[in-house]
Amino acid sequence: DREGRYLGCNKVFTEIMGVTAEGIRGRTVQELWPSELAETYHRKDLELLGSPRRQLYEYRIKDREGVERPVIYSKDVFRDERGEVAGIVGAFLDITDRRRAEEELKALNATLERRIGERTRELDERNADLVRANEELRAALDSLHEAQDSLVRSEKLAALGQLIAGIAHELNTPLGAIVSSNHSLVRLISTRLEPVSRVLSALSPELREWFDRALGRVLV
């Protein structure tokens, strides 16, 4: 009622709270419930009586076993035959299971976030390893290209050396023949020059002049 005294309750309320309808009738919240809870109940009831409109809030109760449960209160005023506020009627919804599910979901989310964080760090580390491996591979490829270019240059130089050796061989063969021929000519001339000189020195000036002309025609 307006003085804050219970007028009655339903059966479910008695089963949860461990009281009877006769046991609460005419008593206040301060007389029935723990003071830390009763003060909030009383304050919210005064707010509702002062501003009569539906009231909805989340709080807690202490059940028949002394266990606190989270609940959602829904309250409103009821009026007398003159339309004036005569008191408060209310109910609560036990949300223990929902709260437990929310806590489990919160814990699950925290675990999931932690695992995601750990997995993300692992992926970051693997990505860093891949980046390093890619850089090392790129460096190895660069070294391979340099070695390949050096090998190509070496092969070109080797081929050039073989070409030069072949040219030198081709040149040395006729040159050798020429040198050999020259040696033969020198030996021939050296063996025959002395007798020729003696013969030429015995010729008359006319025959020597004729011989020079004939020799000149032959050597042309």
Side-chain angles (χ1 to χ4, degrees):
D1 60 16
R2 291 186 58 88
E3 284 72 35
R5 298 185 181 279
Y6 280 97
L7 301 177
C9 65
N10 63 15
K11 182 180 180 181
V12 177
F13 186 87
T14 64
E15 293 173 351
I16 294 174
M17 304 303 293
V19 295
T20 62
E22 294 77 10
I24 69 169
R25 189 174 294 117
R27 303 175 69 181
T28 65
V29 292
Q30 291 89 348
E31 294 170 341
L32 291 169
W33 317 123
S35 59
E36 70 274 11
L37 301 178
E39 290 301 321
T40 298
Y41 302 152
H42 181 62
R43 177 174 52 82
K44 298 295 289 187
D45 290 345
L46 292 177
E47 291 175 2
L48 179 57
L49 292 172
S51 180
R53 60 177 179 270
R54 186 184 178 191
Q55 191 180 71
L56 193 67
Y57 65 94
E58 185 174 329
Y59 198 48
R60 64 186 187 274
I61 62 169
K62 184 169 289 187
D63 65 14
R64 63 190 304 166
E65 297 177 355
V67 177
E68 286 195 357
R69 299 189 184 190
V71 297
I72 294 178
Y73 275 105
S74 177
K75 297 180 180 181
D76 207 340
V77 297
F78 64 91
R79 300 177 183 273
D80 59 18
E81 64 276 5
R82 296 188 301 273
E84 295 179 358
V85 175
I88 296 173
V89 59
F92 62 75
L93 174 66
D94 186 354
I95 58 172
T96 302
D97 292 339
R98 190 182 78 177
R99 182 63 60 81
R100 184 181 299 112
E102 290 174 350
E103 294 297 328
E104 291 176 354
L105 180 60
K106 184 178 179 180
L108 181 61
N109 287 335
T111 301
L112 182 60
E113 290 178 0
R114 184 179 68 255
R115 291 182 178 176
I116 290 174
E118 293 173 353
R119 184 59 176 168
T120 301
R121 285 191 296 272
E122 291 177 359
L123 291 176
D124 290 340
E125 292 175 358
R126 292 185 180 180
N127 185 58
D129 292 339
L130 289 175
V131 170
R132 285 192 296 269
N134 188 46
E135 292 175 353
E136 293 174 357
L137 179 60
R138 186 179 293 110
L141 288 175
D142 293 340
S143 299
L144 181 60
H145 289 156
E146 292 177 0
Q148 185 178 12
D149 293 340
S150 177
L151 181 60
V152 169
R153 289 193 296 270
S154 299
E155 290 179 350
K156 288 181 178 179
L157 291 175
L160 180 60
Q162 292 177 357
L163 177 62
I164 293 174
I167 294 174
H169 176 72
E170 295 298 328
L171 291 176
N172 285 333
T173 300
L175 287 176
I178 292 171
V179 170
S180 178
S181 299
N182 286 339
H183 287 315
S184 299
L185 288 175
V186 169
R187 284 193 302 271
L188 177 63
I189 292 172
S190 63
T191 55
R192 298 297 181 90
L193 184 59
E194 185 177 355
V196 172
S197 298
R198 287 196 299 268
V199 172
L200 290 177
S201 63
L203 293 176
S204 64
E206 293 82 7
L207 289 174
R208 187 179 299 171
E209 182 180 357
W210 174 85
F211 179 79
D212 290 340
R213 289 197 300 273
L215 181 61
R217 285 194 296 273
V218 171
L219 295 176
V220 172

PDB file of all heavy atoms in Angstrom, residues 154-174:
ATOM      1  N   SER A 154      82.926 -15.674 -68.585  1.00  0.00           N
ATOM      2  CA  SER A 154      84.029 -16.631 -68.605  1.00  0.00           C
ATOM      3  C   SER A 154      83.938 -17.527 -69.840  1.00  0.00           C
ATOM      4  O   SER A 154      84.948 -17.810 -70.491  1.00  0.00           O
ATOM      5  CB  SER A 154      84.011 -17.480 -67.334  1.00  0.00           C
ATOM      6  OG  SER A 154      84.177 -16.669 -66.184  1.00  0.00           O
ATOM      7  N   GLU A 155      82.703 -17.985 -70.151  1.00  0.00           N
ATOM      8  CA  GLU A 155      82.536 -18.833 -71.330  1.00  0.00           C
ATOM      9  C   GLU A 155      82.863 -18.073 -72.606  1.00  0.00           C
ATOM     10  O   GLU A 155      83.461 -18.631 -73.542  1.00  0.00           O
ATOM     11  CB  GLU A 155      81.108 -19.367 -71.380  1.00  0.00           C
ATOM     12  CG  GLU A 155      80.796 -20.387 -70.286  1.00  0.00           C
ATOM     13  CD  GLU A 155      79.360 -20.873 -70.353  1.00  0.00           C
ATOM     14  OE1 GLU A 155      78.580 -20.278 -71.121  1.00  0.00           O
ATOM     15  OE2 GLU A 155      79.042 -21.849 -69.643  1.00  0.00           O
ATOM     16  N   LYS A 156      82.471 -16.789 -72.636  1.00  0.00           N
ATOM     17  CA  LYS A 156      82.801 -15.976 -73.817  1.00  0.00           C
ATOM     18  C   LYS A 156      84.311 -15.836 -73.955  1.00  0.00           C
ATOM     19  O   LYS A 156      84.868 -15.941 -75.063  1.00  0.00           O
ATOM     20  CB  LYS A 156      82.139 -14.616 -73.704  1.00  0.00           C
ATOM     21  CG  LYS A 156      80.628 -14.642 -73.911  1.00  0.00           C
ATOM     22  CD  LYS A 156      80.044 -13.251 -73.811  1.00  0.00           C
ATOM     23  CE  LYS A 156      78.535 -13.275 -74.066  1.00  0.00           C
ATOM     24  NZ  LYS A 156      77.929 -11.918 -73.939  1.00  0.00           N
ATOM     25  N   LEU A 157      84.969 -15.582 -72.793  1.00  0.00           N
ATOM     26  CA  LEU A 157      86.431 -15.459 -72.833  1.00  0.00           C
ATOM     27  C   LEU A 157      87.077 -16.777 -73.249  1.00  0.00           C
ATOM     28  O   LEU A 157      88.050 -16.789 -74.014  1.00  0.00           O
ATOM     29  CB  LEU A 157      86.955 -15.027 -71.464  1.00  0.00           C
ATOM     30  CG  LEU A 157      86.606 -13.592 -71.035  1.00  0.00           C
ATOM     31  CD1 LEU A 157      87.083 -13.340 -69.620  1.00  0.00           C
ATOM     32  CD2 LEU A 157      87.246 -12.580 -71.995  1.00  0.00           C
ATOM     33  N   ALA A 158      86.523 -17.896 -72.743  1.00  0.00           N
ATOM     34  CA  ALA A 158      87.071 -19.194 -73.129  1.00  0.00           C
ATOM     35  C   ALA A 158      86.878 -19.451 -74.614  1.00  0.00           C
ATOM     36  O   ALA A 158      87.798 -19.934 -75.306  1.00  0.00           O
ATOM     37  CB  ALA A 158      86.398 -20.303 -72.309  1.00  0.00           C
ATOM     38  N   ALA A 159      85.691 -19.111 -75.113  1.00  0.00           N
ATOM     39  CA  ALA A 159      85.444 -19.291 -76.540  1.00  0.00           C
ATOM     40  C   ALA A 159      86.361 -18.396 -77.368  1.00  0.00           C
ATOM     41  O   ALA A 159      86.894 -18.800 -78.414  1.00  0.00           O
ATOM     42  CB  ALA A 159      83.973 -18.977 -76.852  1.00  0.00           C
ATOM     43  N   LEU A 160      86.569 -17.178 -76.880  1.00  0.00           N
ATOM     44  CA  LEU A 160      87.470 -16.270 -77.585  1.00  0.00           C
ATOM     45  C   LEU A 160      88.898 -16.814 -77.575  1.00  0.00           C
ATOM     46  O   LEU A 160      89.621 -16.736 -78.578  1.00  0.00           O
ATOM     47  CB  LEU A 160      87.418 -14.892 -76.918  1.00  0.00           C
ATOM     48  CG  LEU A 160      88.309 -13.795 -77.538  1.00  0.00           C
ATOM     49  CD1 LEU A 160      87.923 -13.559 -78.996  1.00  0.00           C
ATOM     50  CD2 LEU A 160      88.198 -12.498 -76.747  1.00  0.00           C
ATOM     51  N   GLY A 161      89.289 -17.377 -76.407  1.00  0.00           N
ATOM     52  CA  GLY A 161      90.622 -17.974 -76.334  1.00  0.00           C
ATOM     53  C   GLY A 161      90.782 -19.118 -77.313  1.00  0.00           C
ATOM     54  O   GLY A 161      91.825 -19.259 -77.976  1.00  0.00           O
ATOM     55  N   GLN A 162      89.719 -19.963 -77.399  1.00  0.00           N
ATOM     56  CA  GLN A 162      89.777 -21.067 -78.353  1.00  0.00           C
ATOM     57  C   GLN A 162      89.851 -20.556 -79.783  1.00  0.00           C
ATOM     58  O   GLN A 162      90.581 -21.113 -80.618  1.00  0.00           O
ATOM     59  CB  GLN A 162      88.549 -21.964 -78.171  1.00  0.00           C
ATOM     60  CG  GLN A 162      88.528 -22.717 -76.846  1.00  0.00           C
ATOM     61  CD  GLN A 162      87.270 -23.541 -76.674  1.00  0.00           C
ATOM     62  OE1 GLN A 162      86.387 -23.502 -77.522  1.00  0.00           O
ATOM     63  NE2 GLN A 162      87.191 -24.279 -75.559  1.00  0.00           N
ATOM     64  N   LEU A 163      89.089 -19.493 -80.054  1.00  0.00           N
ATOM     65  CA  LEU A 163      89.127 -18.921 -81.398  1.00  0.00           C
ATOM     66  C   LEU A 163      90.514 -18.379 -81.733  1.00  0.00           C
ATOM     67  O   LEU A 163      91.058 -18.622 -82.827  1.00  0.00           O
ATOM     68  CB  LEU A 163      88.077 -17.807 -81.503  1.00  0.00           C
ATOM     69  CG  LEU A 163      88.033 -17.049 -82.844  1.00  0.00           C
ATOM     70  CD1 LEU A 163      87.688 -18.013 -83.983  1.00  0.00           C
ATOM     71  CD2 LEU A 163      87.008 -15.918 -82.780  1.00  0.00           C
ATOM     72  N   ILE A 164      91.096 -17.675 -80.762  1.00  0.00           N
ATOM     73  CA  ILE A 164      92.439 -17.120 -80.982  1.00  0.00           C
ATOM     74  C   ILE A 164      93.453 -18.236 -81.166  1.00  0.00           C
ATOM     75  O   ILE A 164      94.352 -18.167 -82.022  1.00  0.00           O
ATOM     76  CB  ILE A 164      92.825 -16.209 -79.800  1.00  0.00           C
ATOM     77  CG1 ILE A 164      91.915 -14.971 -79.796  1.00  0.00           C
ATOM     78  CG2 ILE A 164      94.285 -15.792 -79.876  1.00  0.00           C
ATOM     79  CD1 ILE A 164      92.119 -14.081 -78.591  1.00  0.00           C
ATOM     80  N   ALA A 165      93.306 -19.292 -80.324  1.00  0.00           N
ATOM     81  CA  ALA A 165      94.225 -20.425 -80.456  1.00  0.00           C
ATOM     82  C   ALA A 165      94.098 -21.066 -81.829  1.00  0.00           C
ATOM     83  O   ALA A 165      95.102 -21.446 -82.454  1.00  0.00           O
ATOM     84  CB  ALA A 165      93.936 -21.442 -79.358  1.00  0.00           C
ATOM     85  N   GLY A 166      92.828 -21.178 -82.293  1.00  0.00           N
ATOM     86  CA  GLY A 166      92.622 -21.759 -83.616  1.00  0.00           C
ATOM     87  C   GLY A 166      93.226 -20.899 -84.708  1.00  0.00           C
ATOM     88  O   GLY A 166      93.868 -21.404 -85.644  1.00  0.00           O
ATOM     89  N   ILE A 167      93.011 -19.578 -84.577  1.00  0.00           N
ATOM     90  CA  ILE A 167      93.585 -18.656 -85.575  1.00  0.00           C
ATOM     91  C   ILE A 167      95.115 -18.728 -85.551  1.00  0.00           C
ATOM     92  O   ILE A 167      95.781 -18.763 -86.592  1.00  0.00           O
ATOM     93  CB  ILE A 167      93.106 -17.224 -85.320  1.00  0.00           C
ATOM     94  CG1 ILE A 167      91.577 -17.142 -85.577  1.00  0.00           C
ATOM     95  CG2 ILE A 167      93.838 -16.233 -86.202  1.00  0.00           C
ATOM     96  CD1 ILE A 167      90.977 -15.804 -85.213  1.00  0.00           C
ATOM     97  N   ALA A 168      95.652 -18.751 -84.305  1.00  0.00           N
ATOM     98  CA  ALA A 168      97.112 -18.833 -84.189  1.00  0.00           C
ATOM     99  C   ALA A 168      97.638 -20.117 -84.813  1.00  0.00           C
ATOM    100  O   ALA A 168      98.683 -20.128 -85.485  1.00  0.00           O
ATOM    101  CB  ALA A 168      97.509 -18.756 -82.715  1.00  0.00           C
ATOM    102  N   HIS A 169      96.880 -21.213 -84.597  1.00  0.00           N
ATOM    103  CA  HIS A 169      97.295 -22.483 -85.198  1.00  0.00           C
ATOM    104  C   HIS A 169      97.259 -22.405 -86.716  1.00  0.00           C
ATOM    105  O   HIS A 169      98.190 -22.887 -87.402  1.00  0.00           O
ATOM    106  CB  HIS A 169      96.382 -23.601 -84.690  1.00  0.00           C
ATOM    107  CG  HIS A 169      96.664 -24.921 -85.333  1.00  0.00           C
ATOM    108  ND1 HIS A 169      97.794 -25.662 -85.040  1.00  0.00           N
ATOM    109  CD2 HIS A 169      95.968 -25.641 -86.268  1.00  0.00           C
ATOM    110  CE1 HIS A 169      97.792 -26.769 -85.754  1.00  0.00           C
ATOM    111  NE2 HIS A 169      96.681 -26.782 -86.499  1.00  0.00           N
ATOM    112  N   GLU A 170      96.160 -21.828 -87.218  1.00  0.00           N
ATOM    113  CA  GLU A 170      96.042 -21.692 -88.668  1.00  0.00           C
ATOM    114  C   GLU A 170      97.139 -20.802 -89.241  1.00  0.00           C
ATOM    115  O   GLU A 170      97.599 -20.996 -90.367  1.00  0.00           O
ATOM    116  CB  GLU A 170      94.658 -21.129 -89.025  1.00  0.00           C
ATOM    117  CG  GLU A 170      93.492 -22.041 -88.671  1.00  0.00           C
ATOM    118  CD  GLU A 170      93.553 -23.362 -89.433  1.00  0.00           C
ATOM    119  OE1 GLU A 170      94.052 -23.373 -90.583  1.00  0.00           O
ATOM    120  OE2 GLU A 170      93.117 -24.378 -88.867  1.00  0.00           O
ATOM    121  N   LEU A 171      97.526 -19.791 -88.463  1.00  0.00           N
ATOM    122  CA  LEU A 171      98.615 -18.922 -88.943  1.00  0.00           C
ATOM    123  C   LEU A 171      99.974 -19.585 -88.789  1.00  0.00           C
ATOM    124  O   LEU A 171     100.866 -19.416 -89.638  1.00  0.00           O
ATOM    125  CB  LEU A 171      98.596 -17.594 -88.171  1.00  0.00           C
ATOM    126  CG  LEU A 171      97.402 -16.682 -88.459  1.00  0.00           C
ATOM    127  CD1 LEU A 171      97.462 -15.451 -87.561  1.00  0.00           C
ATOM    128  CD2 LEU A 171      97.370 -16.238 -89.924  1.00  0.00           C
ATOM    129  N   ASN A 172     100.157 -20.302 -87.704  1.00  0.00           N
ATOM    130  CA  ASN A 172     101.454 -20.925 -87.449  1.00  0.00           C
ATOM    131  C   ASN A 172     101.785 -21.990 -88.485  1.00  0.00           C
ATOM    132  O   ASN A 172     102.954 -22.202 -88.822  1.00  0.00           O
ATOM    133  CB  ASN A 172     101.485 -21.549 -86.049  1.00  0.00           C
ATOM    134  CG  ASN A 172     101.606 -20.492 -84.964  1.00  0.00           C
ATOM    135  OD1 ASN A 172     102.150 -19.409 -85.214  1.00  0.00           O
ATOM    136  ND2 ASN A 172     101.121 -20.801 -83.758  1.00  0.00           N
ATOM    137  N   THR A 173     100.787 -22.681 -89.005  1.00  0.00           N
ATOM    138  CA  THR A 173     101.047 -23.753 -89.973  1.00  0.00           C
ATOM    139  C   THR A 173     101.694 -23.225 -91.252  1.00  0.00           C
ATOM    140  O   THR A 173     102.771 -23.698 -91.658  1.00  0.00           O
ATOM    141  CB  THR A 173      99.747 -24.509 -90.287  1.00  0.00           C
ATOM    142  OG1 THR A 173      99.236 -25.079 -89.071  1.00  0.00           O
ATOM    143  CG2 THR A 173      99.987 -25.622 -91.314  1.00  0.00           C
ATOM    144  N   PRO A 174     101.075 -22.230 -91.935  1.00  0.00           N
ATOM    145  CA  PRO A 174     101.761 -21.713 -93.140  1.00  0.00           C
ATOM    146  C   PRO A 174     103.049 -20.971 -92.795  1.00  0.00           C
ATOM    147  O   PRO A 174     104.014 -21.006 -93.560  1.00  0.00           O
ATOM    148  CB  PRO A 174     100.723 -20.791 -93.771  1.00  0.00           C
ATOM    149  CG  PRO A 174      99.798 -20.434 -92.662  1.00  0.00           C
ATOM    150  CD  PRO A 174      99.768 -21.628 -91.760  1.00  0.00           C
TER     151      PRO A 174
END
